Amino acid sequence: MTLFAWPKQAAFGRVVPKSKIYEHATVSTALKERFVQQVEQINWAYKLAPETVNLPATPAVAEIQVFRLNLKGASLDQDVLKAIDRAIPFPLIFELVQGGRIKLAAAYKRPAQKPKSDADISIVGNYLETNWCPRDTPRQSLPVALDMNGLYEQLLLHMMPIPARSEESLADAVGRVEQLRARQREIDKVAARLKREKQFNRKVEMNAELRRMKAELERLK
């Protein structure tokens, strides 16, 4: 996986109280408990903006914020990330830190075409996550881009579990990842039913169905 060397001039380094997230996002009592149980500290680590990365803003992406979350354990509910995304109006890249390891996470966040309210200003998709790696993994320079939107797309593409196809937009690539996840869930369900099935004829049918579904999965990849 790739860890990025965020520019020194982009360092922000401010601790964000969880109460501030609660104020700016709809957070239930149960979700507040998950914040307390799973997150040690939220740090607004870097602010990638035209003045800090020397790239022009675009209507879709004026700035990109890097948030570092120190976790209490290995698990983190994605609703916690989504609440933070809802509270911050800019695209976010998360660095999740737990003990001596780190990984990246982010959702494709884009402006809503016709926001119904302040809460609907942005559309936040499902999350892309890299694998865990040691915290001292060497970091690489930021991807080459022409503007802030291009930088955001490059950062997200580095987190994709599958390679992007030529001429494929980020939205299409993210959509393909969602299709892959949905197909994998279906495969897992059929595989679980197959283990419980006693009738030989049904086992043959289900094995054939599994082969077909796995072939579709490979084509999506």
Side-chain angles (χ1 to χ4, degrees), residues 81 121 201 219:
L81 295 181
I121 290 174
N201 288 344
R219 283 195 291 272

Side-chain angles (χ1 to χ4, degrees), residues 167-180:
E167 307 303 320
E168 184 178 45
S169 70
L170 176 62
D172 288 341
V174 170
R176 191 157 53 91
V177 170
E178 288 308 308
Q179 290 179 51
L180 276 167

Side-chain angles (χ1 to χ4, degrees), residues 15-33:
V15 173
V16 180
K18 295 169 190 174
S19 58
K20 289 296 183 183
I21 302 298
Y22 305 159
E23 288 175 15
H24 293 89
T26 303
V27 180
S28 65
T29 300
L31 185 52
K32 287 180 182 179
E33 290 176 0

Side-chain angles (χ1 to χ4, degrees), residues 39-195:
V39 181
E40 183 70 45
Q41 187 181 78
I42 303 169
N43 187 284
W44 194 330
Y46 292 91
K47 178 179 178 179
L48 309 182
E51 63 272 17
T52 61
V53 295
N54 199 30
L55 292 173
T58 68
V61 182
E63 298 179 0
I64 303 166
Q65 313 303 334
V66 180
F67 272 48
R68 183 173 294 132
L69 272 59
N70 292 308
L71 307 183
K72 294 181 178 180
S75 63
L76 178 66
D77 194 302
Q78 288 195 350
D79 284 342
V80 170
L81 295 181
K82 187 156 285 189
I84 300 173
D85 253 315
R86 292 292 187 197
I88 305 297
F90 300 106
L92 299 182
I93 304 293
F94 293 100
E95 288 192 344
L96 309 180
V97 179
Q98 192 262 326
R101 59 185 190 162
I102 186 172
K103 70 176 177 178
L104 298 178
Y108 178 34
K109 188 174 180 180
R110 59 200 187 278
Q113 291 183 345
K114 294 180 180 180
K116 298 177 182 178
S117 67
D118 288 347
D120 298 320
I121 290 174
S122 296
I123 298 171
V124 180
N126 292 317
Y127 284 84
L128 304 169
E129 292 188 4
T130 65
N131 294 323
W132 291 103
C133 71
R135 287 186 68 175
D136 58 1
T137 297
R139 290 178 177 258
Q140 299 182 17
S141 300
L142 291 182
V144 176
L146 298 178
D147 53 32
M148 293 300 298
N149 186 69
L151 176 60
Y152 182 51
E153 290 193 356
Q154 289 296 320
L155 292 173
L156 289 186
L157 286 172
H158 274 80
M159 297 184 215
M160 296 278 288
I162 52 175
R165 294 170 175 168
S166 60
E167 307 303 320
E168 184 178 45
S169 70
L170 176 62
D172 288 341
V174 170
R176 191 157 53 91
V177 170
E178 288 308 308
Q179 290 179 51
L180 276 167
R181 288 172 174 171
R183 290 285 192 282
Q184 188 61 60
R185 287 193 294 270
E186 292 170 2
I187 288 171
D188 292 344
K189 288 179 182 177
V190 174
R193 291 204 307 270
L194 178 61
K195 286 183 179 180

